[in-house]
Amino acid sequence: MSTTASSGIRAGRASVVRQVRRLSLAGVLVGLLSTSAVSVASPAAAADVPLSQGRTAVASSAERGDLSAAAAVDGKTGTRWGSKFSDPQWLAVDLGKSSAIKQIVINWENAYATAFQIQTASSGSGPWKTVHTTTAGKGGVQTINVSATGRFVRLYATKRSSQYGVSLWEFQVFGTGSGTSNPTPSSTPKPSSTPKPSSSPSSTPKPSATPTTTTPAGGWVPVNQAAWKKTLDAYNKVAPQAVPAGIVRVPEFHTNCEVANEAKDDPVVLPGLVGASHMHTFFGPKVTANTTVEDLFASTTNCDAPGDNSAYWAPTLMKNGKPVPMKDFRVYYGSRLKDPSEVVPFPPGLVVVQGDAKRQVPTPKGASGQFWCAGSAETGRSDDGNWPVCAKGGNLIYQLTFQDCWDGKHIDSPDHKSHMGPARNGTCTGDYPVAVPNLSFMLGYDSLGGDGLSLSSGLPSSIHGDFMNAWKPENLGALVKVCINAKAKCGTTPGWGR
């Protein structure tokens, strides 16, 4: 967002739309194969590095934001996955390609499963095949020898050892790869250099002449070339406007939204898995775990910028376990580039996540990533030092700023971030050659801060936001051309009337 954004959050209706296309994770895993034999002891020797390490993992639930499925395959014994307190629960990992699976090593935390199955599948839609079953799990480090083949591997826990959920430090799959490799974040080729827009607003990147007909595996979703062309055509048809004297020369416009709903859903990270996420506050259209971009276009929204049916959301702020009401929510669309005339509209259906729900570090006064006080001074800190205390007349606020540049190829990626990137020396280039509007969420809370606060995802450092683009091309194109390209501060419409 622009320099005036942080001071420009005044009145405005709270909230924004944000949500998303379904990544068909709901049916993730099950599988193929044969026999199993349990070994009681040491970690696997079948491979130096687990096939599962750093791969995409999903789970039936997570107790909180820092106990997500990804923590079970990150190669770190200090992070863990922890489920909600019910049976059954599961954790599944995508190996990225069909692999010969030789051994599973489970490093349980104290809350282990006494009954569970190991299952494999050749595709995310199954069917599952059970390759190991036990009803006498004892926790600790458990090594299971199997002989199986598949791309997906799932731990399916049917009975917990205690009243808590199931929890493990690491879930490791060992073996050798076979079959045709499918792209993953580490193996997918970098996007080729899409032509960068020139300094002339009328010169825009060209869609590929060859339509994309298949979706790469591993979470990389290609842009729909026909829809992208339609968006650029609408943008190019807009005539620039002369900027009147007295207009603030900052490249931005905004939309104000209200709260649509709150739910433990996330259609980007956990599509189709109802209640599997921490609590989110959704702005704009109402969103569920099953919401898609098509659903957003068919929905009503409470955002006030004409043509914006996009979905926006963030973790819910809690006070002693209860949601804190929003005071206002505004999204600024701007540019931090040297030449804002390079900016073009977002591609249709773009999905972006900014921030990290797993980041759980203290945020004392002076640390980066601070919640702060708007409209009044900070008079102190909470007992834990992580939250400001605001004087009367003000309120707690957070500004979440997204990336400026797009890879020009994908509308989503396995981590929902890797298709977006930063500018270099004020220009979008290299792996991220296409300049797009820079989003800034202004989250204003009806709170003076202080003790008892937490995010549904954990500490303040775990703040994050999601955006699913559902703008009408003609509306977004006009706002980008008239406001951002011309380096002129607009309101919710292209021009200077509001």
Side-chain angles (χ1 to χ4, degrees):
M1 149 179 177
S2 73
T3 32
T4 61
S6 48
S7 61
I9 179 86
R10 303 182 173 94
R13 309 199 318 242
S15 227
V16 148
V17 243
R18 193 172 198 346
Q19 203 73 259
V20 68
R21 152 195 94 41
R22 175 185 315 183
L23 264 175
S24 73
L25 276 160
V28 93
L29 294 156
V30 146
L32 291 165
L33 302 131
S34 28
T35 61
S36 65
V38 179
S39 147
V40 228
S42 53
D48 292 333
V49 178
L51 299 176
S52 51
Q53 189 162 311
R55 294 291 179 176
T56 300
V58 293
S60 52
S61 68
E63 181 185 347
R64 60 177 191 263
D66 60 319
L67 302 180
S68 67
V73 294
D74 61 5
K76 301 175 184 177
T77 55
T79 60
R80 63 184 176 93
W81 167 60
S83 78
K84 293 183 177 179
F85 302 170
S86 62
D87 293 321
Q89 299 289 339
W90 55 263
L91 179 139
V93 60
D94 178 359
L95 302 181
K97 64 180 179 179
S98 180
S99 304
I101 301 163
K102 305 298 183 184
Q103 196 171 79
I104 309 293
V105 177
I106 308 172
N107 184 354
W108 295 100
E109 198 248 354
N110 292 333
Y112 61 93
T114 58
F116 65 89
Q117 301 169 6
I118 301 295
Q119 301 173 323
T120 62
S122 59
S123 72
S125 59
W128 290 105
K129 183 170 183 179
T130 299
V131 299
H132 172 74
T133 301
T134 184
T135 56
K138 298 185 182 300
V141 178
Q142 194 163 4
T143 302
I144 302 165
N145 294 323
V146 299
S147 177
T149 303
R151 171 173 171 168
F152 299 90
V153 182
R154 179 168 76 171
L155 167 68
Y156 192 84
T158 55
K159 187 175 181 182
R160 294 163 293 141
S161 62
S162 68
Q163 74 270 31
Y164 301 106
V166 290
S167 179
L168 49 90
W169 299 107
E170 283 293 297
F171 181 72
Q172 298 177 313
V173 180
F174 293 89
T176 56
S178 63
T180 303
S181 176
N182 293 293
T184 63
S186 58
S187 62
T188 302
K190 292 286 187 181
S192 63
S193 60
T194 301
K196 182 174 70 67
S198 76
S199 58
S200 166
S202 62
S203 176
T204 58
K206 294 179 175 59
S208 168
T210 305
T212 304
T213 56
T214 59
T215 299
W220 291 97
V221 181
V223 64
N224 181 310
Q225 296 292 344
W228 177 219
K229 182 179 184 302
K230 181 180 177 181
T231 296
L232 292 178
D233 287 346
Y235 164 75
N236 285 325
K237 288 178 182 177
V238 177
Q241 296 181 22
V243 181
I247 296 300
V248 177
R249 301 310 295 264
V250 172
E252 72 174 35
F253 61 90
H254 65 260
T255 186
N256 301 299
C257 306
E258 297 177 357
V259 175
N261 62 299
E262 292 177 333
K264 292 183 177 181
D265 290 341
D266 191 328
V268 173
V269 179
L270 296 168
L273 299 179
V274 178
S277 174
H278 49 259
M279 184 75 78
H280 283 107
T281 301
F282 298 96
F283 306 95
K286 183 177 180 181
V287 171
T288 73
N290 297 305
T291 297
T292 64
V293 176
E294 292 74 19
D295 295 331
L296 296 179
F297 278 113
S299 301
T300 58
T301 180
N302 57 45
C303 295
D304 64 353
D308 181 18
N309 267 56
S310 305
Y312 311 81
W313 64 96
T316 304
L317 180 66
M318 315 294 283
K319 173 87 169 180
N320 297 323
K322 296 182 179 180
V324 174
M326 297 297 302
K327 181 178 181 181
D328 44 43
F329 178 79
R330 173 175 286 187
V331 180
Y332 284 95
Y333 288 68
S335 176
R336 298 178 294 182
L337 304 180
K338 289 179 180 177
D339 184 359
S341 70
E342 294 184 349
V343 175
V344 296
F346 290 122
L350 181 74
V351 175
V352 185
V353 174
Q354 182 66 34
D356 185 0
K358 289 179 63 179
R359 189 169 185 265
Q360 305 289 331
V361 298
T363 50
K365 185 176 179 63
S368 61
Q370 289 277 303
F371 281 72
W372 45 282
C373 299
S376 70
E378 179 180 319
T379 60
R381 304 292 290 183
S382 58
D383 286 344
D384 62 10
N386 291 323
W387 302 92
V389 176
C390 304
K392 289 183 179 180
N395 66 281
L396 193 67
I397 194 169
Y398 191 87
Q399 177 180 345
L400 182 67
T401 305
F402 287 62
Q403 301 282 17
D404 300 85
C405 307
W406 174 49
D407 72 4
K409 296 288 184 180
H410 305 95
I411 58 171
D412 198 7
S413 53
D415 61 358
H416 317 295
K417 301 176 184 179
S418 294
H419 55 307
M420 305 295 293
R424 295 180 184 176
N425 298 317
T427 302
C428 292
T429 187
D431 293 335
Y432 304 101
V434 182
V436 292
N438 166 248
L439 294 177
S440 234
F441 287 10
M442 301 300 292
L443 295 146
Y445 300 95
D446 190 7
S447 170
L448 294 176
D451 294 331
L453 291 176
S454 66
L455 291 172
S456 58
S457 52
L459 294 177
S461 56
S462 69
I463 185 71
H464 56 282
D466 297 59
F467 167 68
M468 169 54 76
N469 177 32
W471 276 90
K472 292 180 180 178
E474 58 273 22
N475 294 93
L476 182 59
L479 284 161
V480 170
K481 180 69 69 70
V482 172
C483 308
I484 294 180
N485 291 162
K487 198 176 181 181
K489 182 177 176 64
C490 298
T492 59
T493 57
W496 301 277
R498 303 178 57 182

